[in-house]
Every structure is written in structure tokens, then in C-alpha cells.
């Protein structure tokens, strides 16, 4: 009897509507993709061994090592596909029991903690509004800020008391859209997404495993993946039912009858049993439907390994194939690792985003108080809400990437010719998986509206550019209208300026802050590149120092040996040894000079290199944990570096990063190249000065740049409004003076 699959985790997709083939797979292996147990993909190894056959023993060891690597990869792939199905099926906000428990817990949290402090938060908002209105004379800002804080707190209360129609609705939309995105390329219909997903996974599993199994178990890949040979099929059918792995396919009741008859010594017609099951599609599947070492697979070797042309197809299963299997399994494994890494990353990201959304909903009673802490609190609340919404909708983004991976795999598998070309198709698929995995962040940054840390993807950046242009156009039009109205009537100018200036200021400040963040990120990227270069240079110097020190040690040792030999000999031999002694001593002195020079240079650059190494390690760690090399706090800190350098002249080498050059290269520019670089730096400095002049967090003492664009029009309207008021007061004073003189 053969073995059965030891790793059988029930896939949640099996409980949903699947096609007939995938339902049968679920009954046999517990997954919609596995037509045969994963353990059946093991190798057939027919090598003579024994105490007097050392070569055979070694060949058997190599074959079993190759089999262990191959089976480990398949079991991991099987597990990853099951975990991916669980990740896609995980929907806590769509489960009525979970939502009832969540709603009850949030209500208890609200009564015990949030409700007693809610009055204090409202009083704090009122006190802040009074301070801004009476002390700072910012009436419009205080009113708009107070209304915004109250509106955000009401939104949090709505989520807290009604999580099902708010969070649950968004999660249900994301789940449904994710299933539709995966289903669309497979069948072109969204009526049965579960069946489409099961079919996609089954086709992807065959594309990822069958070429590897055929290449590692047969010497002719084209023959292995061709239609089944009737002679092979008839031979295997005679004993195919004497295997546990095959009996799992015939149903529990029939398997018990066959086992009982076998134990009682009754004749068993395995051919009749085999005719009741789906026939193998290829020669390789004649082996796959049975486990390694089963009577059916052994009978195939015994019957056909000595017959031409079957002998050349089965050569790899003998002793000579051991030398081929190990390097081949390494090649196949490296390709398969790309698909495993990609699918594992998708499963982990979907799990993580679901967990993040769940945690953010749980802290809603605490997030409710954030708007009471002014502008920064409102910004923190918006970040919380945006992160929650992004986590709820992220399943759609990752489902789109999964759909691309599955669809690309099946397209490549269908495009390559069958037979021997299947292995080349497998290599192309491997390159496709590795490309998707290695460039996953770039692809996500494009298809995502936001990156979860205050930044924007490519689609979001296009939208922000359009919005920025619209804001600038509206601001400019409004400012021009205000100026024109001032010539018609001073009262209309004052009313128009007071109504629009606050909105324009906020819009321009937001656009300016985004521009500064992009510049700060670019500056950080230049620092990162320079730091890596410095670390590499220091490592090269240290390596050179070790090499020179080793050569010097060898020279000293050689000189001592030559002197020792000279003392023991005389005549011409003594002269040769003394000459060598002098030569090696001079070489040691030269190397000592080089060693001291290198040691000084290494010590001089040690502290800068250590700082650069710490900066690079911190950035790389942030990239591994958050997906971004420079977190928002680092970008915000880098903006202060921009402030300090915007008033430096364009010739200063601190601006080299703006044109992608090193400080040394920037200083050495000349001619047309120098003029073009300085012009570009001057343009960027002008944009940064205007941006810093538009943001509200300009530190005291910084010279404000002259306003431009929408901000300039807005401030012009304010000045016109102030001039109107001043002229009206002067006119009243003159009229009062004339009345006094007339009396």
C-alpha cells in the first residue's frame, strides 16, 4: 500500500459553489486545485543498492535529496494556496455573529469610558474656539475648525454605534469586488466568482507543478505530457486500486469494500474500478494518480524499463538519473520559489490589512477624541479614518494583483506549445513570478490611490495634480474677480475677500505641503544613495588595508627567512639570500608606508561611515517593515533641512542632489552644463521658497517669500479689504471735522 497526503488542510473555498472538477478535488485532497494528493508527486527511484554497491548507494542518496527538496516546495505551495484562500475568505465585518459581538463591545466601551469624557472634549473645543476668536482674532478659522471637529466626532460616533452599516458596508463592497476582480479574467462572468476562483487556482497549480514533475520523473518531457499510452494505462490499471492514495479517489464505501476483499484474499478487478474514475490526461498522470512505491508504479517500471522506446523515457528513474535530478530540481525550485514568495506575500498582506482594519475599528472610542485637539488632532483623525478605509478596501487592490498573477500564469501556460516546450513555458512563468514579486511595491504604488502613509500612488498623483491646477485656477479667478469688484464697490470687495480667502489659503497650503514632501523625499533619496556609496568606499578601504597588512606580514616573514638562510650559508648562496633579504625588507617598508596611509584614511572616515551605515540600515529596516524607505516623520524632519538651504546661493554644492549629482561633480561643472544645472537649481529653489511661504508652519525668523499664484490673489484681496476699511474710517473723520467747523 502507498502513502497518502500527510498535509491536508481544508480549504474554505471547498464549502462554496465550485465546478464539478474542483468539487471532486476537494473531496480527495481538501483543496480545489489538487486533483491528486501532493505526496503522489514524489519520484520513482529504481537504483540497485547494497553493501557492495557504493555508487548505487550514493546515487540513491542524491535522488532522495532531490525528492526531499521537490516535495518540500510542493507542500509549501499547497499550504500557501490554502492560506491564500483563507485570507480571501476572512471577512469579520461580514459575519453577523462577529459584528454583533463587536457592536456590543464598542457600546460597553462607549458607556464606560467615552461617554464620561465626551462633555470635557466638547468644552475643550469651545474653549479653543473662544481663544482663537477673542485672543488671536481668527474668527473664521475658529468657527470652521470647531465645526470640522464636531463633524468628525459625529462621524466617529456613527461608526461606533452603527458598525454594520458603516464599516460592514465598506468591507462587504471590498470583498465582493475582490471576488469579481479574480473571477472576471477566468470566465468573463461575475455570476459565480467562487467557481471562477477555484478554476483559476486549479489551472495555476497544474501550470506550476506538472512541468516540474514531468521533467524530474521522466527523461522525455514531451512524451510525459502527451496523451496517455494505452499499454501503460492497461498495465497500471491492473493493480492501481491496491493503493491508499488511489482508494481516496473512489469514495470511502467502495474503498472499504476493496480493502475487505483484498484482506480476505478475494480477487479484485482494479481495471473495472479504474474505468469508473476520470481517466488520466497525460502519461505523467498515469504515475501521479498513484503514490510512489505503489504496486501500479512499480509494475510500470518492471514491465517497461527494459523495452524500447519506453526505456529511454524512464532512464532518469535509474541510477544514471541521480546525477541529473539534483541540479534540475535546484533549477525548478528556484523558479517555483518566485511563485511561492509572491502568493505568500499576498496572503500575508491580506491577513495584515484585515487585522489592521479590525484593530482600528476597536479603537474608535479613543479616536473619537482626536478632533478635540485642534488642527493636529483633526489631521490625526483623518489619518486614522483614511488608514481604516484603506485597510478595508486594500483586499480589492491585492485581489487585483492576485488576479494578474493567476491570469498571467494561465496565459503563459496556454501560449507555450505542449510537450517539450512546457518546460520553457515554466521558466517564462518563473520569470513572471519573480518580476511581480520583486517589483510588487512599484506596482502597488501605481494601482493604489494612497500608500497608507500620507503619500499618493501614480493614480493619486495624477488626481492631485489636476486638483492643484483647479485650485490654482479657481483661486486666481476669484482673486481677479475680487480686484475687479473693488473698482465697482468697496463693500462688495470686502464681502468677497472675507468669504473666499480662508478656503483659498487652506487649498494652497495643502498643495504647497505636498510639494515640499516630494522634495524632502527626493533629498532623502539622495542622502541614502550617498550614504550607501560612502559605506561601500569604507568597506573597500578596509579590505585594501587588510590586504596590504597581509602582504607586509608576508614580506617581513620572507625577509627573516632569507636572513636566517644567509647566516647558515656562504658564498654565492649567501649573496642570493642577502639580496632577497634586502628586497623583501624594502618591500616591507613600502607596504608599511601604504598601510599607515590607508589606516589613517580609514580612521578619518570611520565616524562618517558609521553614521552613513546607521542611516542606511534604518532606511532598509523601514522598507522591510512598512514598505516605505522613509516614513512620514523622516520626511517631515527633512523639510527642515530644505528650509536651511533654500537661501544658499545656487553655486553651493549642498544643492547637488537637486540635479542628481554628487557635491564634487557639482563643483566641477563648467560651461553649458554648469549653466543648465544652475538654472534648474534656481528654478527648484524658487518653487521651494514659494511653497514655504504658503505653509502655515513657517518658523519664526524665516523670511517669507513673495506670494504667487492663488495665494497672491487671496492676499491681494485681503489687502484691498483692509484699504477699503481704512478709507471709510478716514472719510468719516473728515466729515466729522467739517461738521465741527461749520458749527
Amino acid at each position: 500500500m502507498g502513502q497518502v497526503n500527510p498535509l491536508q488542510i481544508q480549504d474554505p473555498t471547498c464549502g462554496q459553489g465550485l465546478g464539478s472538477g474542483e468539487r471532486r478535488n476537494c473531496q480527495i485532497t481538501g483543496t480545489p486545485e489538487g486533483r491528486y494528493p501532493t505526496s503522489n508527486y514524489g519520484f520513482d527511484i529504481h537504483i540497485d543498492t547494497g553493501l557492495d554497491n557504493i555508487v548505487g548507494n550514493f546515487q540513491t542518496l542524491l535522488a532522495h535529496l532531490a525528492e526531499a527538496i521537490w516535495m518540500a516546495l510542493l507542500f509549501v505551495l499547497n499550504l500557501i494556496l490554502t492560506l491564500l484562500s483563507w485570507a480571501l475568505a476572512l471577512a469579520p465585518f461580514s459575519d453577523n455573529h462577529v459584528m454583533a459581538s463587536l457592536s456590543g463591545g464598542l457600546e460597553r466601551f462607549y458607556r464606560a469610558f467615552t461617554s464620561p469624557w465626551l462633555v470635557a472634549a466638547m468644552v475643550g473645543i469651545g474653549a479653543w474656539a473662544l481663544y482663537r476668536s477673542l485672543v488671536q482674532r481668527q474668527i473664521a478659522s475658529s468657527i470652521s475648525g470647531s465645526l470640522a471637529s464636531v463633524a468628525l466626532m459625529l462621524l466617529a460616533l456613527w461608526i461606533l454605534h452603527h458598525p454594520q452599516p458603516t464599516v460592514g458596508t465598506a468591507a462587504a463592497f471590498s470583498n465582493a469586488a475582490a471576488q469579481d476582480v479574480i473571477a472576471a479574467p477566468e470566465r468573463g462572468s461575475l455570476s459565480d466568482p467562487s467557481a471562477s476562483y477555484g478554476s483559476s487556482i486549479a489551472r495555476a497549480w497544474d501550470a506550476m507543478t506538472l512541468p516540474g514533475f514531468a521533467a524530474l520523473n521522466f527523461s522525455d518531457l514531451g512524451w510525459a505530457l502527451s496523451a496517455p499510452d494505452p499499454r501503460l494505462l492497461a498495465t497500471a490499471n491492473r493493480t492501481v486500486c491496491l493503493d491508499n492514495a488511489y482508494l481516496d479517489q473512489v469514495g470511502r464505501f467502495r474503498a472499504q469494500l476493496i480493502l475487505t476483499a483484498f484482506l480476505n484474499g478475494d480477487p479484485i478487478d482494479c481495471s473495472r474500478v479504474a474505468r469508473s474514475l476520470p481517466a488520466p490526461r497525460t502519461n505523467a498522470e498515469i504515475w501521479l494518480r498513484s503514490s510512489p512505491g505503489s504496486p501500479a508504479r512499480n509494475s510500470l517500471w518492471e514491465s517497461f524499463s527494459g523495452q524500447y522506446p519506453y526505456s529511454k523515457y524512464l532512464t532518469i528513474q535509474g541510477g544514471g538519473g541521480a546525477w541529473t535530478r539534483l541540479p534540475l530540481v535546484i533549477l525548478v525550485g528556484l523558479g517555483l520559489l518566485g511563485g511561492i514568495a509572491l502568493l505568500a506575500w499576498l496572503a500575508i498582506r491580506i491577513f495584515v490589512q484585515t487585522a489592521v482594519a479590525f484593530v482600528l475599528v476597536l479603537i474608535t472610542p479613543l479616536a473619537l477624541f482626536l478632533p478635540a485637539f485642534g488642527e493636529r488632532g483633526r489631521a490625526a483623525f483623518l489619518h486614522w479614518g483614511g488608514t481604516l478605509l484603506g485597510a478595508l478596501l486594500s483586499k480589492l487592490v491585492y485581489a487585483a494583483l492576485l488576479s494578474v498573477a493567476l491570469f498571467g500564469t494561465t496565459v503563459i501556460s496556454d501560449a507555450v506549445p505542449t510537450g517539450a516546450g512546457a518546460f520553457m513555458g515554466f521558466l517564462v512563468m518563473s520569470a513572471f513570478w519573480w518580476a511581480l514579486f520583486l517589483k510588487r511595491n512599484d506596482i502597488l504604488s501605481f494601482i493604489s490611490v494612497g500608500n497608507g502613509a500620507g503619500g499618493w500612488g501614480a493614480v493619486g498623483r495624477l488626481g492631485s495634480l489636476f486638483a492643484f491646477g483647479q485650485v490654482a485656477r479657481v483661486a486666481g479667478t476669484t482673486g481677479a474677480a475680487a480686484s475687479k469688484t473693488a473698482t465697482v464697490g468697496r463693500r462688495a470687495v470686502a464681502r468677497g475677500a472675507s468669504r473666499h480667502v480662508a478656503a483659498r489659503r487652506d487649498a494652497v497650503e495643502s498643495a504647497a505641503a505636498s510639494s515640499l514632501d516630494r522634495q524632502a523625499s527626493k533629498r532623502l533619496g539622495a542622502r541614502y544613495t550617498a550614504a550607501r556609496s560612502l559605506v561601500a568606499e569604507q568597506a573597500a578601504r578596509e579590505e585594501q588595508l587588510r590586504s596590504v597588512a597581509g602582504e607586509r606580514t608576508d614580506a617581513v616573514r620572507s625577509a627573516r627567512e632569507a636572513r636566517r638562510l644567509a647566516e647558515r650559508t656562504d658564498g654565492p648562496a649567501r649573496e642570493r639570500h642577502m639580496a632577497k633579504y634586502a628586497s623583501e625588507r624594502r618591500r616591507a617598508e613600502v607596504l608599511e608606508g601604504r598601510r599607515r596611509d590607508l589606516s589613517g584614511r580609514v580612521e578619518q572616515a570611520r565616524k562618517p561611515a558609521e553614521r552613513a551605515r546607521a542611516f542606511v540600515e534604518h532606511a532598509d529596516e523601514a522598507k522591510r517593515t512598512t514598505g516605505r524607505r522613509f516614513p512620514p516623520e523622516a520626511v517631515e524632519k527633512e523639510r527642515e533641512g530644505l528650509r536651511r538651504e533654500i537661501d544658499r546661493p545656487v553655486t553651493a554644492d549642498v544643492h547637488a542632489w537637486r540635479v542628481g549629482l554628487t557635491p564634487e561633480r557639482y563643483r566641477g561643472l563648467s560651461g553649458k552644463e554648469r549653466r543648465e544645472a544652475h538654472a534648474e537649481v534656481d528654478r527648484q529653489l524658487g518653487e521651494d521658497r514659494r511653497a514655504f511661504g504658503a505653509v502655515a508652519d513657517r518658523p519664526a525668523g524665516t523670511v517669507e517669500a513673495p506670494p504667487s499664484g492663488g495665494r497672491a490673489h487671496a492676499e491681494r484681496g485681503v489687502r484691498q479689504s483692509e484699504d477699503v476699511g481704512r478709507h471709510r474710517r478716514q472719510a468719516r473723520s473728515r466729515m466729522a471735522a467739517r461738521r465741527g467747523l461749520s458749527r
Side-chain angles (χ1 to χ4, degrees):
M1 292 292 178
Q3 58 181 337
V4 294
N5 190 1
L7 181 64
Q8 191 174 107
I9 304 174
Q10 187 66 32
D11 194 297
T13 312
C14 290
Q16 305 173 13
L18 296 174
S20 58
E22 286 72 37
R23 287 198 304 270
R24 178 181 175 277
N25 295 346
C26 285
Q27 295 173 359
I28 298 172
T29 64
T31 62
E33 71 273 4
R35 185 176 188 181
Y36 306 107
T38 308
S39 59
N40 284 15
Y41 286 79
F43 298 160
D44 287 86
I45 303 172
H46 301 285
I47 303 174
D48 295 332
T49 59
L51 295 176
D52 57 343
N53 193 348
I54 299 177
V55 175
N57 295 336
F58 186 70
Q59 290 174 340
T60 303
L61 176 63
L62 292 180
H64 282 297
L65 179 60
E67 183 183 30
I69 297 174
W70 168 250
M71 295 305 297
L73 289 171
L74 291 190
F75 282 128
V76 171
L77 177 61
N78 187 11
L79 178 62
I80 292 301
L81 289 175
T82 303
L83 292 180
L84 184 61
S85 297
W86 275 104
L88 292 171
L90 186 62
F93 301 112
S94 301
D95 188 281
N96 293 331
H97 178 72
V98 173
M99 291 304 295
S101 178
L102 178 64
S103 179
L106 290 177
E107 287 290 346
R108 291 190 294 272
F109 199 153
Y110 174 78
R111 289 194 300 269
F113 179 81
T114 308
S115 181
W117 288 96
L118 193 57
V119 176
M122 292 298 181
V123 172
I125 293 175
W128 174 83
L130 289 175
Y131 174 77
R132 293 290 295 269
S133 301
L134 301 179
V135 178
Q136 297 183 345
R137 302 292 183 181
Q138 298 181 5
I139 299 176
S141 176
S142 64
I143 294 175
S144 61
S146 301
L147 292 177
S149 297
V150 172
L152 293 177
M153 295 177 73
L154 290 176
L155 176 62
L157 285 172
W158 183 33
I159 296 175
L160 193 152
H161 292 296
H162 302 284
Q164 180 65 45
T166 53
V167 177
T169 300
F173 165 78
S174 178
N175 293 335
Q179 292 181 350
D180 293 343
V181 165
I182 298 174
E186 178 64 21
R187 298 189 178 183
S189 173
L190 306 181
S191 59
D192 197 355
S194 297
S196 298
Y197 173 76
S199 176
S200 298
I201 289 294
R203 293 180 64 190
W205 169 267
D206 287 342
M208 297 173 79
T209 58
L210 278 178
F213 173 77
L216 291 167
N217 211 46
F218 304 99
S219 301
D220 189 325
L221 184 64
W223 173 83
L225 296 179
S226 60
D229 188 307
R231 292 184 60 194
L232 294 173
L233 187 59
T235 301
N237 284 346
R238 297 192 191 104
T239 55
V240 70
C241 63
L242 304 180
D243 178 26
N244 285 331
Y246 187 81
L247 290 178
D248 286 341
Q249 306 175 44
V250 303
R252 180 175 300 178
F253 178 72
R254 294 186 64 188
Q256 290 178 348
L257 294 178
I258 295 172
L259 285 174
T260 301
F262 176 77
L263 294 175
N264 294 335
D266 298 334
I268 302 173
D269 188 0
C270 288
S271 299
R272 183 178 179 184
V273 175
R275 286 194 296 270
S276 65
L277 295 175
R281 296 167 294 186
T282 62
N283 285 321
E285 290 193 14
I286 298 177
W287 273 258
L288 267 180
R289 60 180 182 166
S290 304
S291 60
S294 63
R297 289 173 72 158
N298 286 337
S299 65
L300 291 171
W301 170 262
E302 294 169 356
S303 302
F304 297 99
S305 61
Q307 296 185 23
Y308 184 85
Y310 302 105
S311 57
K312 68 176 183 178
Y313 303 147
L314 306 179
T315 303
I316 196 172
Q317 299 179 10
W323 311 106
T324 305
R325 272 177 167 168
L326 187 58
L328 189 59
V329 79
I330 294 175
L331 176 63
V332 173
L334 288 176
L336 199 57
L337 275 177
I340 291 174
L342 176 63
L343 296 175
W345 175 75
L346 286 171
I348 292 172
R349 294 295 293 179
I350 294 174
F351 270 121
V352 168
Q353 292 299 321
T354 303
V356 168
F358 194 72
V359 171
L360 291 178
V361 172
L362 293 180
I363 64 174
T364 303
L366 300 178
L368 184 146
F369 292 106
L370 291 176
F373 293 95
E375 295 179 2
R376 291 186 179 275
R378 290 194 294 273
F381 182 89
L382 292 175
H383 181 71
W384 168 82
T387 305
L388 173 59
L389 183 61
L392 290 173
L393 300 180
S394 62
K395 183 179 289 188
L396 175 59
V397 176
Y398 292 115
L401 192 55
L402 174 62
S403 178
V404 169
L406 297 178
F407 185 46
T409 299
T410 55
V411 166
I412 295 173
S413 177
D414 294 340
V416 298
T418 58
F423 194 73
M424 180 55 66
F426 176 81
L427 296 180
V428 175
M429 279 188 286
S430 302
F432 172 70
W433 300 327
W434 277 113
L436 273 182
F437 177 70
L438 296 176
K439 304 297 290 184
R440 60 193 185 279
N441 291 326
D442 295 337
I443 298 173
L444 283 180
S445 66
F446 179 79
I447 64 177
S448 302
V449 175
N451 59 14
W456 298 88
V459 177
R461 283 196 295 271
L462 293 175
S464 65
L465 288 175
F466 175 77
F468 182 81
Q470 292 297 100
V471 168
R473 184 181 63 78
V474 173
T477 305
T478 308
S483 176
K484 183 177 179 180
T485 307
T487 63
V488 179
R490 292 169 294 183
R491 181 175 299 176
V493 171
R495 185 169 60 250
S498 61
R499 184 172 61 250
H500 296 291
V501 66
R504 290 197 302 274
R505 182 180 295 112
D506 292 341
V508 173
E509 285 184 3
S510 176
S514 298
S515 176
L516 291 175
D517 284 343
R518 288 192 295 271
Q519 284 291 84
S521 298
K522 181 180 176 182
R523 191 172 189 266
L524 280 170
R527 284 183 57 196
Y528 177 81
T529 302
R532 289 193 62 178
S533 177
L534 180 58
V535 170
E537 291 174 0
Q538 181 70 351
R541 281 192 291 267
E542 292 175 349
E543 180 63 27
Q544 188 178 5
L545 176 60
R546 287 191 292 269
S547 176
V548 170
E551 290 181 12
R552 177 190 172 278
T553 302
D554 293 340
V556 171
R557 185 182 300 110
S558 179
R560 290 175 180 174
E561 180 65 19
R563 184 173 182 179
R564 185 179 63 81
L565 293 174
E567 291 175 352
R568 296 181 179 181
T569 58
D570 52 10
R574 175 183 175 84
E575 292 178 0
R576 287 197 303 272
H577 291 313
M578 289 301 296
K580 183 177 181 182
Y581 166 72
S583 174
E584 292 297 324
R585 186 174 180 180
R586 285 194 299 272
R587 188 165 74 94
E589 291 174 353
V590 172
L591 291 171
E592 174 63 16
R594 290 180 58 190
R595 188 193 67 80
R596 291 178 180 176
D597 178 61
L598 284 171
S599 179
R601 291 164 59 189
V602 167
E603 190 60 32
Q604 182 180 5
R606 187 177 303 280
K607 290 186 178 180
E610 289 177 353
R611 290 194 295 268
R613 184 179 293 105
F615 177 75
V616 170
E617 291 176 352
H618 181 74
D620 291 342
E621 179 63 23
K623 178 74 173 179
R624 285 191 296 270
T625 55
T626 66
R628 295 191 64 192
R629 183 168 281 116
F630 309 117
E633 55 270 17
V635 175
E636 183 176 358
K637 184 178 179 181
E638 196 68 15
R639 282 173 57 174
E640 298 305 316
L642 287 175
R643 290 183 191 276
R644 291 191 294 270
E645 71 178 29
I646 58 174
D647 292 327
R648 301 284 298 275
V650 294
T651 56
D653 56 11
V654 295
H655 303 310
W657 62 270
R658 295 178 180 272
V659 288
L661 299 177
T662 62
E664 296 78 8
R665 180 76 177 89
Y666 188 73
R667 285 195 301 268
L669 293 176
S670 61
K672 181 180 178 182
E673 191 178 13
R674 175 186 174 91
R675 290 192 300 272
E676 291 177 351
H678 286 179
E680 174 62 21
V681 169
D682 186 61
R683 183 190 66 79
Q684 293 188 29
L685 289 175
E687 291 182 355
D688 289 350
R689 291 190 189 101
R690 288 190 291 272
F692 276 118
V695 295
D697 57 347
R698 176 172 51 86
T702 303
V703 178
E704 183 174 2
S708 64
R711 178 81 183 260
H713 288 298
E715 294 183 354
R716 191 180 303 117
V718 174
R719 289 196 298 270
Q720 291 169 351
S721 178
E722 293 175 349
D723 292 341
V724 170
R726 184 169 62 255
H727 291 323
R728 294 178 65 181
R729 289 192 296 272
Q730 292 174 356
R732 292 194 195 98
S733 299
R734 288 194 296 270
M735 292 179 65
R738 284 196 294 270
R739 292 192 191 99
L741 290 175
S742 65
R743 286 195 294 268

